[in-house]
Amino acid sequence: MKINTSRFGEIELPDDTLITFPKGVVGFPEARGFVLFDCSDDGIFKWMQSVDVQELAFVICEASLVLPNYQIICGKSEQEMLKLSRAEDAAVCLILAIGANPADTTANLLGPIVMNAESRLGMQMVLVNPDYSTRHKIFADASGTENSNVSA
Amino acid sequence: MLVLSRHKDETIMIGDEIEISIVDIKGDTVRIGINAPKTVSVHRKEIYEAIRAENIAATKQQLVPDKAALGNIAALLKRPGK
């Protein structure tokens, strides 16, 4: 599978790396296919690149790395859409916004990316949680105070 | 935009499957009940808009972060006690 991207030029990835987002992501309903590939050597950060929209790519990481007790509730409609039957098949990731200064990196806690490793279906959920924000500073609690007790 | 007046406990139908009821009215807050098929997603518009704006910001902002910067972020995330 060859994909044209604005950042990486043409890339080639195995067909089975494709993840289908039946509803796209919020604001980009046309972006229905994404591929994931490592963006750091340690594999912690991944690019989530759209196969439909060249310039659409997000840096994501596992939600638990940002907030160890981050939790979402996957309702019946989400489970059906993802064909999710076992919680352990779900990967919950957050989109990061990395600016000029990496220390200011924020994570979008209200719009997590949930993917089913088994069915290779994904979606962006829209959460309602007053404790979470779309621009959560991931290093704000390095001092050990803010958000240390947040759960969904 | 179609504008309808409804009293408490009255309902509006949208098509055959979507029901919107006025559950309660207190001051300038209206509590609304929504019955819709599971395939229809219902969100508060401001949250949806915030996520949309953040998606656009995240994808615009990110050129290709260099690996050293990502390494620093990873190191901070893995800092013990977090």
Side-chain angles (χ1 to χ4, degrees):
Chain A
M1 177 175 51
K2 281 186 182 162
I3 304 152
N4 283 309
T5 71
S6 64
R7 290 175 183 75
F8 315 104
E10 188 185 82
I11 52 174
E12 186 155 16
L13 287 162
D15 284 352
D16 61 8
T17 54
L18 184 72
I19 298 172
T20 302
F21 283 61
K23 292 190 173 174
V25 293
V26 176
F28 299 90
E30 72 280 22
R32 293 165 53 96
F34 283 90
V35 286
L36 299 184
F37 51 93
D38 285 345
C39 84
S40 55
D41 294 331
D42 50 24
I44 287 181
F45 301 100
K46 293 202 187 307
W47 280 104
M48 180 176 135
Q49 166 74 50
S50 164
V51 301
D52 307 291
V53 184
Q54 288 195 31
E55 58 279 4
L56 186 63
F58 302 107
V59 176
I60 62 170
C61 77
E62 253 184 67
S64 59
L65 276 170
V66 174
L67 280 184
N69 48 4
Y70 185 81
Q71 275 186 336
I72 56 167
I73 293 165
C74 214
K76 222 175 187 160
S77 60
E78 285 96 5
Q79 290 175 30
E80 270 173 29
M81 185 153 119
L82 297 171
K83 297 203 170 94
L84 190 65
S85 48
R86 298 180 305 175
E88 59 265 35
D89 290 335
V92 181
C93 296
L94 299 175
I95 294 178
L96 302 180
I98 302 170
N101 179 1
D104 294 333
T105 299
T106 60
N108 184 349
L109 302 184
L110 287 176
I113 301 291
V114 185
M115 292 170 285
N116 180 350
E118 201 53 41
S119 66
R120 304 201 70 79
L121 290 166
M123 70 182 295
Q124 183 171 30
M125 284 181 60
V126 174
L127 304 187
V128 177
N129 185 333
D131 294 329
Y132 287 171
S133 88
T134 55
R135 313 209 80 193
H136 171 79
K137 285 203 160 208
I138 67 175
F139 301 124
D141 59 348
S143 60
T145 49
E146 191 199 324
N147 278 330
S148 52
N149 292 313
V150 173
S151 64
Chain B
M1 191 195 300
L2 171 67
V3 179
L4 300 170
S5 293
R6 297 272 72 188
H7 293 109
K8 192 181 157 190
D9 296 330
E10 291 184 335
T11 300
I12 296 167
M13 294 290 301
I14 300 176
D16 295 332
E17 295 189 296
I18 300 175
E19 264 183 42
I20 296 176
S21 309
I22 308 304
V23 175
D24 199 8
I25 304 165
K26 260 189 202 143
D28 59 0
T29 303
V30 179
R31 284 174 63 81
I32 296 172
I34 300 157
N35 252 326
K38 281 183 291 187
T39 48
V40 176
S41 43
V42 178
H43 305 299
R44 289 168 170 85
K45 185 171 181 183
E46 61 272 23
I47 295 176
Y48 186 90
E49 284 297 321
I51 291 173
R52 195 178 76 95
E54 194 49 36
N55 277 353
I56 291 168
T59 196
K60 279 222 175 105
Q61 197 169 37
Q62 258 134 59
L63 303 167
V64 178
D66 66 81
K67 290 196 172 172
L70 288 170
N72 290 340
I73 298 173
L76 280 169
L77 280 175
K78 284 191 283 197
R79 197 201 300 232
K82 220 191 105 39

